[in-house]
Amino acid sequence: MSDTLPITEARARFGSLVRRASHARERITITDHGQPAAVLINPQELADLEDALALARYRARQGSGETAGVPHDEVRARLGLERG
């Protein structure tokens, strides 16, 4: 669910809007002069979006050949780990 309201109304209802975004996982769009200015979302939803974006960027780099793996033995050597 999402809701859109002007900044003047959001200012008056800020606490309840934050709780709605946090607990009900609602997206609250705040407008300034009729234009979207900010969106309140749940912190976990933001983390999920950031993870999805990072994965999409990685896959795009991988698809274009920009990423290169590091051999397991080299990682262990860089970390100072001995073979067990």
Side-chain angles (χ1 to χ4, degrees):
M1 183 175 177
S2 65
D3 198 2
T4 301
L5 55 150
I7 197 168
T8 52
E9 186 178 340
R11 185 179 300 121
R13 298 175 44 197
F14 188 70
S16 66
L17 295 174
V18 168
R19 285 187 289 281
R20 283 173 49 193
S22 177
H23 301 299
R25 293 184 70 107
E26 289 185 53
R27 291 185 187 184
I28 312 292
T29 301
I30 300 169
T31 61
D32 189 11
H33 299 290
Q35 298 298 313
V39 178
L40 295 175
I41 62 171
N42 177 286
Q44 184 57 54
E45 186 175 358
L46 175 60
D48 293 345
L49 290 169
E50 289 172 335
D51 287 348
L53 178 59
L55 181 58
R57 286 177 174 163
Y58 172 78
R59 287 183 175 158
R61 286 191 314 271
Q62 194 176 36
S64 68
E66 292 180 40
T67 60
V70 178
H72 189 217
D73 289 340
E74 185 177 335
V75 171
R76 292 184 65 80
R78 288 183 186 183
L79 294 174
L81 301 173
E82 295 184 28
R83 293 189 86 142

